[in-house]
């Protein structure tokens, strides 16, 4: 009989010990944040969760007894920077109230977030709120996505959406722009007007600006523009809304090959049609600043192209706010030979010998090699005195006129 009683006591004790550990395990599983690994079989290496998805509901836990409920309640009300880790956690098997459990959950989450923020690089700091810095250009008639863009603030304090010229067209066109607030809710601005534009092509300021309504300042996070020019070998990333992705996507592993004039050329390990829709996106450097404005890609050559952001925006915003006429000049051996207006670019450039024989030709909107309009003679290194260069002037993608210049 004594042996039987001892056996029964042991079984009850084991059950009691197991029950004491169970509530604690359930509590910390409920506080732990859940993460989801997404594998994207696409050159778009990181696609964040679609906008509008809500956080999963917290695991229900039984009411609890806190070791020091007053301390936890007071700490939960302090600013994040001043909160201290509790001296000790609730004992396994202790019971605290649901309200105290929620306070403890917030405290743990705040401390975890503070630790993550302290470890972020400048680029990651920018990417943390990137959704509020980006815009989508929406077709007014179709409601479909046309292109990407981003927000900047000028020295005068005005907010602008920066987009691609070849997406929105000439100044005066009426567009719709979609932005997102801090909670990820879309904010649509209909009837905004394109204020100033560059021109089409890889070797032109392929960008445009749209002044945003004052109300956009409530939710927009303007990006900062890099002050230094981009150098060969620099690593850049792109954030935008490609047609292939339901939401914003990130493209990395972009290495600057060269940056000359109005063009940045980047090598990429994999370029595909999945990049369509990124035009107008910000190209960010490792400091989280905008180095370029995405303008196109060539899958066959594995190249990605961008417009230098500071050069293009100083040109566009400066001329727009000062009510000046934006111009873009080509020079030969230090002499200005043609001046382009907004919306104009150079198409074919032909090199003729003095007797009229065509020697070479270059289609400038797709010419990927280094080029600066201030040294147009570098297009054809074998130019001789007496030869002619003929520039085809294109306005909004249609040939407007040709200009022939003799080399003297």
């Amino acid at each position: 009989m004594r042996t039987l009683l001892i056996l029964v006591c042991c079984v009850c004790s084991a059950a009691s010990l197991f029950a004491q550990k169970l509530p604690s395990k359930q509590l910390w599983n409920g506080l732990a944040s859940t993460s989801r690994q997404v594998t994207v079989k696409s050159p778009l290496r990181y696609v964040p969760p679609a906008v509008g998805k809500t956080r999963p509901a917290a695991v229900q836990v039984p009411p609890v007894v806190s070791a020091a409920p007053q301390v936890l309640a007071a700490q939960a009300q302090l600013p994040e920077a001043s909160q201290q880790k509790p001296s000790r956690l609730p004992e396994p098997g202790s019971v605290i109230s649901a309200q105290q459990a929620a306070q403890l959950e917030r405290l743990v989450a705040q401390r975890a977030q503070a630790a993550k923020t302290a470890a972020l690089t400048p680029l990651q700091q920018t990417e943390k709120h990137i959704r509020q810095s980006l815009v989508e250009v929406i077709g007014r008639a179709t409601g479909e996505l046309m292109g990407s863009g981003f927000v900047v603030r000028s020295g005068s304090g005005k907010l602008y959406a920066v987009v691609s010229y070849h997406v929105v067209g000439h100044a005066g066109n009426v567009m719709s722009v979609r932005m997102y607030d801090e909670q990820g809710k879309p904010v649509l601005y209909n009837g905004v007007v394109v204020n100033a534009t560059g021109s089409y092509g890889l070797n032109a300021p392929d960008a445009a600006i749209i002044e945003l309504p004052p109300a956009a300042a409530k939710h927009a996070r303007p990006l900062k523009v890099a002050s230094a020019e981009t150098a060969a070998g620099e690593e850049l990333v792109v954030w935008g809304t490609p047609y292939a992705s339901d939401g914003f996507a990130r493209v990395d592993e972009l290495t600057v090959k060269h940056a000359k004039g109005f063009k940045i050329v980047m090598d990429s390990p994999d370029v595909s049609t999945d990049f369509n829709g990124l035009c107008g996106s910000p190209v960010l450097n490792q400091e989280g600043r905008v180095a370029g404005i995405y303008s196109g890609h060539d899958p066959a050559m594995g190249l990605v192209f961008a417009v230098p952001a500071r050069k293009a925006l100083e040109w566009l915003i400066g001329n727009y706010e000062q009510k000046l006429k934006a111009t873009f000049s080509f020079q030969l051996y230090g002499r200005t030979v043609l001046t382009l207006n907004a919306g104009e670019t150079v198409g074919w450039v032909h090199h003729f010998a003095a007797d009229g024989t065509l020697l070479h030709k270059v289609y400038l909107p797709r010419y990927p090699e280094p080029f600066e309009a201030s040294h147009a003679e570098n297009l054809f290194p074998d130019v001789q005195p007496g030869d002619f260069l003929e520039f085809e002037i294109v306005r909004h993608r249609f040939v407007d006129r040709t200009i022939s210049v003799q080399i003297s």
Side-chain angles (χ1 to χ4, degrees):
M1 187 65 178
R2 180 178 296 176
T3 304
L4 180 59
L5 289 174
I6 293 174
L7 180 60
V8 171
C9 290
C10 290
V11 171
C12 293
S13 299
S16 176
L17 288 172
F18 176 75
Q20 287 178 5
K21 292 187 178 295
L22 184 59
S24 178
K25 187 174 188 301
Q26 287 179 333
L27 171 64
W28 295 113
N29 280 347
L31 295 181
S33 60
T34 57
S35 61
R36 182 168 59 96
Q37 181 100 14
V38 180
T39 301
V40 183
K41 296 181 179 179
S42 164
L44 306 174
R45 291 176 179 76
Y46 170 69
V47 181
V51 172
K53 288 190 176 180
T54 57
R55 180 184 174 187
V59 176
Q60 296 297 319
V61 296
V64 196
V65 168
S66 167
Q70 295 83 1
V71 173
L72 289 175
Q75 287 178 332
Q77 297 173 4
L78 292 175
E80 179 177 320
S82 64
Q83 291 175 359
Q84 301 296 323
K85 184 176 180 179
S87 57
R88 57 181 190 150
L89 297 174
E91 294 292 337
S94 61
V95 179
I96 63 176
S97 68
Q99 180 181 3
Q100 292 164 350
Q103 291 172 343
L104 182 60
E105 180 179 0
R106 286 197 299 270
L107 178 59
V108 171
Q110 287 170 353
R111 291 186 61 81
Q113 184 60 41
K116 287 182 181 178
T117 301
L120 294 180
T121 65
L123 174 58
Q124 290 170 332
Q125 291 276 12
T126 298
E127 292 178 319
K128 183 179 177 182
H129 303 285
I130 193 67
R131 185 170 55 193
Q132 292 174 257
S133 304
L134 303 178
V135 304
E136 297 170 321
V137 182
I138 307 298
R140 297 186 69 207
T142 63
E144 295 180 351
L145 176 68
M146 296 173 58
S148 304
F150 59 98
V151 182
V152 296
R153 188 187 299 277
S154 72
S156 67
K158 292 182 178 180
L159 285 178
Y160 293 95
V162 181
V163 294
S164 279
Y165 162 77
H166 74 259
V167 171
V168 300
H170 58 79
N173 281 354
V174 181
M175 315 300 306
S176 291
V177 171
R178 183 163 59 207
M179 305 175 67
Y180 293 87
D181 64 15
E182 190 174 1
Q183 287 73 41
K185 295 179 181 179
V187 182
L188 185 64
Y189 295 108
N190 287 314
V192 292
V193 179
V194 178
N195 302 114
T197 65
S199 50
Y200 172 73
L202 299 183
N203 291 284
D206 184 10
I209 55 172
I210 298 173
E211 186 175 347
L212 294 170
K218 296 178 181 178
H219 53 81
R221 283 179 173 261
L223 293 175
K224 295 182 179 179
V225 180
S227 56
E229 292 187 1
T230 303
E234 192 170 350
E235 294 290 331
L236 306 175
V237 302
V238 173
W239 274 96
T241 313
Y243 305 142
S245 171
D246 182 16
F248 295 114
R250 181 184 195 266
V251 180
D252 57 10
E253 295 187 24
L254 301 177
T255 306
V256 177
K257 186 176 181 181
H258 59 78
K260 288 286 186 180
F262 268 108
K263 179 178 59 184
I264 299 172
V265 179
M266 295 164 281
D267 283 314
S268 174
D270 47 8
V271 184
S272 74
T273 55
D274 284 350
F275 284 26
N276 292 344
L278 286 173
C279 289
S281 299
V283 182
L284 303 175
N285 61 20
Q286 295 304 307
E287 295 300 315
R289 294 175 177 259
V290 185
I293 305 166
Y294 193 104
S295 59
H297 55 274
D298 188 329
M301 302 177 68
L303 298 178
V304 171
F305 306 100
V307 178
R310 178 161 294 279
K311 185 176 293 187
L313 292 177
E314 284 180 347
W315 187 68
L316 288 170
I317 296 177
N319 282 282
Y320 168 66
E321 292 191 350
Q322 296 173 29
K323 309 298 181 184
L324 301 176
K325 189 175 182 179
T327 58
F328 180 33
S329 298
F330 277 64
Q331 296 181 350
L332 284 171
Y333 299 103
R335 177 169 57 102
T336 299
V337 294
L338 62 95
T339 299
L340 304 179
N341 297 313
E344 293 183 338
T345 189
V346 172
W348 285 100
V349 182
H350 296 87
H351 175 202
F352 294 96
D355 61 2
T357 303
L358 177 62
L359 302 176
H360 307 284
K361 63 179 181 178
V362 167
Y363 186 59
L364 206 57
R366 294 188 179 275
Y367 182 63
E369 299 305 316
F371 171 74
E372 289 185 82
S374 58
H375 294 281
E377 65 272 9
N378 292 339
L379 282 173
F380 309 106
D382 56 347
V383 169
Q384 303 293 325
D387 292 353
F388 287 86
L389 292 187
E390 184 178 270
F391 297 86
E392 182 183 76
I393 311 303
V394 177
R395 183 170 180 79
H396 303 310
R397 301 201 192 188
F398 295 97
V399 177
D400 183 69
R401 62 191 186 278
T402 59
I403 295 178
S404 294
V405 182
Q406 186 174 23
I407 307 300
S408 56

